[in-house]
Amino acid sequence: MNIINSTVVGLTYELKVSKEADEIESAPFSVEVRDQEDPFYFIFGQSGLPEKFEEFLLGKKEGEQFNFVINCEDAYGEADDELIMALPKEQFTKERGFEPGMLEEGNFLPLMDEQGFPLQAKVLKDLGEEILLDFNHPLVGFDLHFEGEIFEVREATAEELQAGQILDE
């Protein structure tokens, strides 16, 4: 079966990222590996991943390998300064599930938006009464290098399509 909309896709991959600065591109470095112990599954057409990711996989089938690069502008784009903001530290209390160590520079805080959807923010700096957070996607500003293999392609069930997620993997 080939990958088309509404198919469940299971794959393994290594994701490397690189960044271009002043016309010089950094060597790609590994940021994520999904292997047979922890494969990645998604419903094609509903992944929430950059469009180009699905475009590169469209029509491929089980057993095929892939190797492609998604440029920054087609991935998560450049950083948006409006997504960097200072919030009162008092919002991050133990009663709300936050431990003091979670607010250290470089950590990612698990948060929820107004609709109850999960999101994360990177702690940039402790400003005393406030904490400076970056709500940009962690891969913003990077070219994404994917190399891997498709090991499963199947039709999604009606329940999976309705739920928008894989239910039995």
Side-chain angles (χ1 to χ4, degrees), residues 5-152:
N5 276 343
S6 301
T7 54
V8 169
V9 179
L11 44 88
T12 58
Y13 64 81
E14 180 177 12
L15 169 60
K16 295 180 179 180
V17 297
S18 63
K19 191 173 215 156
E20 190 174 308
D22 299 325
E23 305 293 320
I24 300 169
E25 185 168 336
S26 68
F29 60 93
S30 184
V31 293
E32 182 179 33
V33 174
R34 300 295 295 262
D35 57 19
Q36 289 291 343
E37 299 293 316
D38 183 29
F40 178 62
Y41 285 93
F42 66 98
I43 298 175
F44 195 84
Q46 297 181 22
S47 71
L49 295 166
E51 247 179 71
K52 285 284 185 191
F53 180 82
E54 290 194 354
E55 282 180 28
F56 281 117
L57 295 176
L58 182 64
K60 294 196 179 305
K61 59 184 182 263
E62 194 171 304
E64 278 193 62
Q65 295 190 353
F66 57 87
N67 189 342
F68 56 83
V69 177
I70 303 173
N71 293 324
C72 171
E73 55 274 0
D74 293 325
Y76 295 101
E78 296 294 340
D80 182 347
D81 290 340
E82 291 185 22
L83 294 176
I84 297 174
M85 52 191 74
L87 296 176
K89 246 194 221 178
E90 63 196 32
Q91 290 185 6
F92 305 98
T93 63
K94 192 172 195 157
E95 295 77 39
R96 293 185 177 175
F98 296 96
E99 298 294 330
M102 295 173 76
L103 301 179
E104 291 177 9
E105 192 174 307
N107 285 347
F108 285 90
L109 295 178
L111 304 171
M112 286 198 180
D113 66 14
E114 294 82 21
Q115 291 81 35
F117 293 106
L119 67 115
Q120 63 181 1
K122 183 177 183 179
V123 178
L124 296 179
K125 191 166 184 74
D126 185 336
L127 302 172
E129 295 296 313
E130 294 182 318
I131 189 145
L132 188 63
L133 299 175
D134 183 351
F135 287 88
N136 283 291
H137 189 283
L139 296 175
V140 73
F142 288 100
D143 293 336
L144 310 180
H145 304 252
F146 286 93
E147 184 175 353
E149 183 175 349
I150 300 155
F151 68 87
E152 183 176 352

